[in-house]
Amino acid sequence: MGHNYIDRGISGQTTSQMLVRFRRDVIDLHPKVVIILAGTNDIAQNTGYISLEDILGNLISMTELAQTHHIKVILCSLTPAYDYPWHRGIQPNIKIPRLNAMIRNYAKKHRVTYVDYFSAMTDGNNGMRAPLSKDGVHPKLAGYKIMEKISSEAIAKLVGK
């Protein structure tokens, strides 16, 4: 694909964990752009309960840190999930759209690029379309291709390529 990307995502991590390592894993690398896709593991309560407002606060902190260091930010919607196989019944199908709206509103208000994976991947019931995921949460190659196209277009607009 020819992109000069560095993947610093760690499966299962929450925004609080990402924020702790943001300086080392992003700022110290001096990228032109950072793509921040996070929050579903918080909603899944991987490290315990956290409010949607506190998840957004962590995303805002990462955004502000990046901007302070002249790194352009792309904030991403969370991908759809109707339920989490490892923690059933906590209603990600309701919480993810709410958090996505909060992220989108913040991005608009603060002139931060926002990309919407959710709309491109939803089954219409706030779950992920079956061909895009084996478990309804984690994308397969087909899902990642959709995400790559959306992200690549946003990066091109930001850096003028």
Side-chain angles (χ1 to χ4, degrees), residues 13-60:
Q13 279 207 334
T14 61
T15 57
S16 300
Q17 293 169 312
M18 291 171 63
L19 183 55
V20 168
R21 62 186 180 82
F22 196 80
R23 183 169 305 278
R24 180 188 70 235
D25 283 0
V26 178
I27 294 168
D28 290 351
L29 299 176
H30 309 287
K32 291 180 183 175
V33 177
V34 62
I35 298 173
I36 302 174
L37 169 58
T40 201
N41 292 322
D42 297 81
I43 291 172
Q45 300 180 14
N46 284 12
T47 55
Y49 174 79
I50 181 171
S51 69
L52 298 181
E53 292 77 14
D54 286 342
I55 298 167
L56 179 64
N58 288 336
L59 295 170
I60 291 170

Side-chain angles (χ1 to χ4, degrees), residues 47-105:
T47 55
Y49 174 79
I50 181 171
S51 69
L52 298 181
E53 292 77 14
D54 286 342
I55 298 167
L56 179 64
N58 288 336
L59 295 170
I60 291 170
S61 292
M62 286 184 258
T63 298
E64 291 174 347
L65 280 167
Q67 291 172 329
T68 296
H69 290 86
H70 310 289
I71 300 167
K72 295 177 182 178
V73 177
I74 297 174
L75 287 173
C76 305
S77 72
L78 280 63
T79 57
Y82 191 80
D83 206 359
Y84 298 122
W86 65 94
H87 196 167
R88 296 219 178 263
I90 56 174
Q91 300 181 314
N93 60 315
I94 295 169
K95 294 174 184 171
I96 288 172
R98 285 183 187 160
L99 182 57
N100 284 343
M102 293 165 69
I103 296 167
R104 183 179 55 251
N105 290 338

Side-chain angles (χ1 to χ4, degrees), residues 1 131-133 138-148:
M1 309 203 201
L132 304 180
S133 176
H138 300 93
K140 299 189 307 190
L141 182 59
Y144 283 122
K145 286 187 177 197
I146 291 169
M147 295 167 73
E148 179 188 28

Side-chain angles (χ1 to χ4, degrees), residues 127-140:
M128 193 175 302
R129 285 189 281 134
L132 304 180
S133 176
K134 287 184 183 177
D135 64 0
V137 178
H138 300 93
K140 299 189 307 190

